[in-house]
Amino acid sequence: MTELLNQALILKDLPNIATWQNNLPWQPFRDGVEIYRLYGDNQSGSAAALLRYEPGASVPRHTHTGFEHIYVLTGSQTDQNGEHQAGTFVINPPNSNHSVVSQAGCIVLVIWEKPISLWS
């Protein structure tokens, strides 16, 4: 669950998010992908969020202007580096680009150092 303590955001039992994911106020992000923002808006500066992919959902090709850290909490997602199962930590460097798909669905924790730039 989420708790606010003295302005700190505490996510308890994150490895077991599948059991309490429906308690979060998810919002639409892309077709088949929902977002729960932890901080920032990904328009300027750093940001962090949980992303929840429905089976078969994807995020189109985009470029990272800063580092992107992804921790796969449930399911799996696939990008140009292969399929990343739950428990995998991925760091995409600045100026890298990729698209992401989750055939089975997944929940990931993502931290963006700087905003991403979607390809047209």
Side-chain angles (χ1 to χ4, degrees):
M1 300 291 216
T2 305
E3 259 179 54
L4 285 177
L5 254 188
N6 296 326
Q7 302 300 318
L9 175 65
I10 310 294
L11 292 173
K12 293 185 178 183
D13 203 22
L14 199 54
N16 293 312
I17 191 171
T19 63
W20 55 269
Q21 64 180 304
N22 292 326
N23 296 339
L24 296 175
W26 298 96
Q27 302 203 343
F29 183 64
R30 301 271 181 264
D31 285 343
V33 182
E34 296 175 305
I35 189 168
Y36 173 64
R37 293 189 186 281
L38 303 175
Y39 65 84
D41 60 6
N42 210 299
Q43 301 299 311
S44 63
S46 62
L50 295 172
L51 297 179
R52 179 167 66 175
Y53 290 70
E54 293 177 7
S58 63
V59 172
R61 185 164 293 279
H62 55 279
T63 299
H64 298 283
T65 59
F67 284 99
E68 175 191 56
H69 301 83
I70 298 172
Y71 183 65
V72 182
L73 296 164
T74 69
S76 67
Q77 69 174 31
T78 302
D79 64 13
Q80 81 283 359
N81 294 308
E83 184 177 9
H84 311 298
Q85 300 286 333
T88 302
F89 184 63
V90 178
I91 300 174
N92 290 304
N95 301 315
S96 64
N97 67 77
H98 65 149
S99 58
V100 179
V101 65
S102 180
Q103 293 302 327
C106 67
I107 299 174
V108 300
L109 168 65
V110 59
I111 302 169
W112 296 285
E113 177 188 22
K114 295 180 180 177
I116 63 168
S117 174
L118 286 175
W119 290 28
S120 347

